[in-house]
Amino acid sequence: MYQVIIVDDEPMIREGLRSLIPWEQYGFCVKEIAKNGKEAFELYQRLKPDLMIVDIRMPEMGGLALIDLIREKDSTIHFIILTGHADFSYAQKALSSRVDGYLLKPLDEDELIDLLIQIRTELQRHNAINLLKEKDQLWQRDLLIKETLSEPIDEKNLMPFYEKWKGHGLLAERYRIILVTVPESMDKVHASLSSIANEKKDAIPFSICTFNGVILFNDALHTEKKVAAYIQSTKGYGAIGATITDPADLYQSYEEAQSLLNQTFLFEEATFITKDLIAGVQEHESEIVTELSMDHYVESLSITITLGQIESCQSQLQEFTNELIKRKYDSQQIKKNIVHLYSMVINRLVLNDSRKLKSIESTQFSTSQIYDQHHVHAITEAVSDRFTELIHLVYSGGKESTIKRMLDLIKQQYDQNLRLESLADLLNYNSAYLGKLFREHTGEYFNTYLDKVRIENGKKLLVNGYKVYEVSEKIGYKDVDYFHRKFKKYEGISPRTFQKQQTAIK
């Protein structure tokens, strides 16, 4: 509806005119009435109406003076003069002030309606033109923003660029780029960002390539928080680039935000990624000097699973994942390494106790469950859940004691680098206390018990014809001379002599 103000010093005229015409039928509504020009001018400043119907002779300020005063500021408003004076000089003055109609009292209703229809048509045409202009300006502004974010501006084009930037009302002391990616259509995201940006008028939304985002002007903390809340509610991701002062360098903030948004694999949904957040999970490449020790994690995880230590298993898996992140592996490298770790752990468990194979295979799990995940935390959780399932179904041993599980571990993994201190850490025991418990239960010190298990398994290998150095390595002694000493300590003869004696008996 187009807004109308009626101005007349006669109450009956004001009220009668308001009720006489079916304004809404012709696209108008009477917002206010005024009894003189001074009062009408105050209403004009507050309401900015589309049409004013004005009497000429009124106290304090007449109609023509009111029209001249408003025309100094507003060239688009429409006026209809309604007067009881058929004075040519008045009519001439009204025409010079670009008045749409000059009606005499008593009012002819049809004449007024004809004028209203004409004015409505003019207003519609004017609004349509303005809308086209606004759309063109927005298109030009959006094009300028896209060009600014896409690549550095050539030095010879800097002055024209600054003029365009200023012409679109984009000047500010500081700028930052926020990019978002959420599980909604590009148009819907753009509409949501537009709504947020319009609240404080301190940001401009844009769409470029597959990204939606906003340019923040100056601090714009309210808008930044609102965008972060939007990302949280939609379970998407957002990233914010560096603050810059020269709009010609805005592409740098965009590129940084884009780079951060490419790291979504490292974070759970609903995360607002900043440079500081990335720094918290990644170390500089120069700080990583050692190779990734896959064997260490395989051995450690197989031991914790066998011991039924869920928390230790989860922490080691997280530690392994953090190592991959610190080395700045991409998503496919991380997935590949975690799949490799999982496969090696399962192979180790089966190798240590082949009787467990059927139980392991009965619990369904496919490595595609790792490759299908969209962020590293979901991968870690999936593998952790799988290992926990194995602990509960296969390796926990129900209510068996800690020492019983240690004995099973030695039986299955005597060839590994088993140390009482390491097992105590995994089991959350003091090593001296755990050693005491072990000795009370078995009558042997931990290392003595381990040595005896190794020697017994070594004797079987010697009987089967393995060479002494091969047996030494297979039962966990890297130094063959050390194996000689241990064997002679417990058997009273050397491994070679034992082998000869067994061969002679056969």
Side-chain angles (χ1 to χ4, degrees):
M1 291 288 175
Y2 298 112
Q3 296 187 0
V4 180
I5 293 178
I6 298 172
V7 189
D8 199 294
D9 60 340
E10 297 181 52
M12 290 184 61
I13 297 293
R14 294 195 302 267
E15 296 298 338
L17 190 55
R18 173 150 49 183
S19 58
L20 177 67
I21 304 296
W23 296 96
E24 293 186 0
Q25 183 177 332
Y26 299 102
F28 294 87
C29 67
V30 177
K31 293 297 293 183
E32 287 286 356
I33 56 177
K35 61 180 178 293
N36 57 55
K38 182 180 178 181
E39 186 179 300
F41 185 69
E42 292 174 356
L43 290 173
Y44 161 79
Q45 290 178 306
R46 178 163 57 88
L47 299 176
K48 295 292 189 289
D50 301 288
L51 169 64
M52 297 183 75
I53 300 177
V54 182
D55 190 7
I56 290 182
R57 290 184 177 178
M58 294 179 293
E60 296 196 47
M61 180 186 292
L64 295 177
L66 171 65
I67 293 172
D68 287 342
L69 183 60
I70 293 176
R71 274 283 180 246
E72 292 177 4
K73 303 175 181 292
D74 191 340
S75 62
T76 61
I77 188 172
H78 293 265
F79 290 102
I80 295 175
I81 286 181
L82 180 61
T83 180
H85 305 278
D87 190 314
F88 178 73
S89 63
Y90 286 158
Q92 191 176 35
K93 175 62 177 173
L95 289 173
S96 68
S97 299
R98 287 174 289 134
V99 170
D100 295 88
Y102 191 95
L103 302 179
L104 294 175
K105 298 175 183 178
L107 176 65
D108 185 321
E109 183 180 338
D110 291 335
E111 280 188 287
L112 177 57
I113 289 173
D114 287 342
L115 276 176
L116 291 178
I117 293 172
Q118 292 177 27
I119 293 170
R120 182 187 65 190
T121 301
E122 178 62 23
L123 285 169
Q124 289 172 339
R125 186 185 70 82
H126 183 264
N127 288 347
I129 292 173
N130 284 344
L131 185 61
L132 288 174
K133 286 181 179 179
E134 287 177 9
K135 285 184 176 181
D136 183 65
Q137 287 176 346
L138 287 175
W139 184 84
Q140 294 288 348
R141 186 197 69 185
D142 291 346
L143 180 62
L144 177 63
I145 289 172
K146 288 179 181 180
E147 290 174 348
T148 305
L149 299 181
S150 298
E151 58 184 0
I153 298 168
D154 194 292
E155 190 172 343
K156 66 182 180 183
N157 295 325
L158 278 176
M159 291 310 297
F161 163 76
Y162 290 132
E163 290 176 4
K164 289 181 182 178
W165 195 260
K166 181 179 179 180
H168 286 290
L170 300 175
L171 285 180
E173 293 181 2
R174 297 176 303 281
Y175 307 88
R176 285 172 297 161
I177 294 290
I178 292 181
L179 291 179
V180 303
T181 175
V182 300
E184 294 181 341
S185 69
M186 290 282 287
D187 289 343
K188 189 173 182 179
V189 177
H190 186 78
S192 297
L193 293 178
S194 297
S195 177
I196 292 171
N198 286 334
E199 286 185 23
K200 295 289 184 178
K201 307 293 184 184
D202 56 1
I204 296 277
F206 64 85
S207 299
I208 182 170
C209 299
T210 58
F211 294 115
N212 279 294
V214 293
I215 302 175
L216 299 179
F217 297 101
N218 300 322
D219 294 329
L221 295 178
H222 172 81
T223 299
E224 182 181 332
K225 289 179 180 178
K226 293 284 285 188
V227 173
Y230 170 65
I231 293 164
Q232 183 79 25
S233 66
T234 55
K235 297 190 182 302
Y237 292 94
I240 188 163
T243 300
I244 58 100
T245 56
D246 188 339
D249 296 330
L250 201 55
Y251 73 95
Q252 296 175 2
S253 185
Y254 173 80
E255 287 182 349
E256 182 173 297
Q258 188 178 25
S259 176
L260 294 176
L261 206 55
N262 288 334
Q263 305 296 319
T264 57
F265 180 71
L266 301 180
F267 303 97
E268 297 183 57
E269 291 93 347
T271 300
F272 194 52
I273 305 172
T274 64
K275 195 173 182 179
D276 289 341
L277 190 61
I278 289 287
V281 296
Q282 288 184 335
E283 293 180 7
H284 194 274
E285 288 176 344
S286 63
E287 297 176 1
I288 306 296
V289 293
T290 59
E291 291 186 8
L292 182 66
S293 178
M294 182 74 74
D295 289 341
H296 163 73
Y297 287 104
V298 171
E299 179 180 333
S300 183
L301 281 165
S302 63
I303 290 174
T304 54
I305 291 172
T306 304
L307 290 173
Q309 297 301 297
I310 294 175
E311 290 185 7
S312 294
C313 181
Q314 292 172 340
S315 65
Q316 289 173 50
L317 181 60
Q318 188 61 60
E319 181 182 323
F320 177 76
T321 304
N322 290 341
E323 279 290 320
L324 302 179
I325 294 172
K326 289 175 183 178
R327 292 167 190 273
K328 298 189 177 180
Y329 285 7
D330 62 29
S331 60
Q332 288 305 309
Q333 288 176 311
I334 290 176
K335 290 177 180 179
K336 182 178 178 181
N337 273 276
I338 293 179
V339 167
H340 187 44
L341 174 73
Y342 171 79
S343 300
M344 289 181 70
V345 169
I346 296 299
N347 290 339
R348 174 67 62 83
L349 293 171
V350 172
L351 184 63
N352 290 333
D353 189 350
S354 59
R355 294 171 299 176
K356 302 292 187 183
L357 177 59
K358 190 172 182 179
S359 298
I360 291 174
E361 289 180 339
S362 69
T363 56
Q364 296 182 356
F365 184 82
S366 170
T367 53
S368 65
Q369 292 176 241
I370 296 176
Y371 283 108
D372 290 344
Q373 301 302 326
H374 296 298
H375 57 79
V376 70
H377 299 281
I379 292 176
T380 305
E381 184 178 352
V383 178
S384 178
D385 288 346
R386 169 61 170 168
F387 285 156
T388 301
E389 181 184 26
L390 291 178
I391 288 172
H392 284 308
L393 297 180
V394 183
Y395 291 99
S396 65
K399 296 182 179 179
E400 292 179 295
S401 69
T402 298
I403 303 303
K404 179 62 170 63
R405 281 184 282 165
M406 288 177 67
L407 295 176
D408 287 343
L409 176 67
I410 293 172
K411 181 180 177 181
Q412 296 169 17
Q413 302 194 39
Y414 59 84
D415 59 329
Q416 302 301 313
N417 182 28
L418 300 179
R419 295 188 307 111
L420 180 63
E421 292 78 9
S422 299
L423 296 181
D425 286 341
L426 294 173
L427 293 166
N428 295 316
Y429 273 89
N430 175 276
S431 60
Y433 178 69
L434 184 62
K436 181 182 177 182
L437 288 178
F438 189 89
R439 188 167 69 254
E440 289 175 352
H441 185 85
T442 64
E444 303 277 9
Y445 288 101
F446 176 83
N447 287 336
T448 301
Y449 187 92
L450 177 61
D451 282 338
K452 288 183 176 181
V453 172
R454 285 174 170 174
I455 296 302
E456 285 301 315
N457 282 277
K459 288 162 65 177
K460 294 175 184 177
L461 294 172
L462 289 168
V463 170
N464 288 330
Y466 283 92
K467 292 183 169 58
V468 173
Y469 76 86
E470 292 176 328
V471 174
S472 176
E473 187 174 328
K474 283 182 177 294
I475 65 174
Y477 294 124
K478 304 305 179 185
D479 185 342
V480 70
D481 292 334
Y482 186 71
F483 171 51
H484 267 273
R485 292 196 299 273
K486 288 289 183 181
F487 195 93
K488 196 165 185 178
K489 175 182 177 182
Y490 294 110
E491 298 299 322
I493 57 176
S494 71
R496 181 61 181 151
T497 300
F498 172 83
Q499 192 173 46
K500 286 180 179 179
Q501 288 178 352
Q502 295 300 314
T503 303
I505 292 173
K506 286 183 179 180

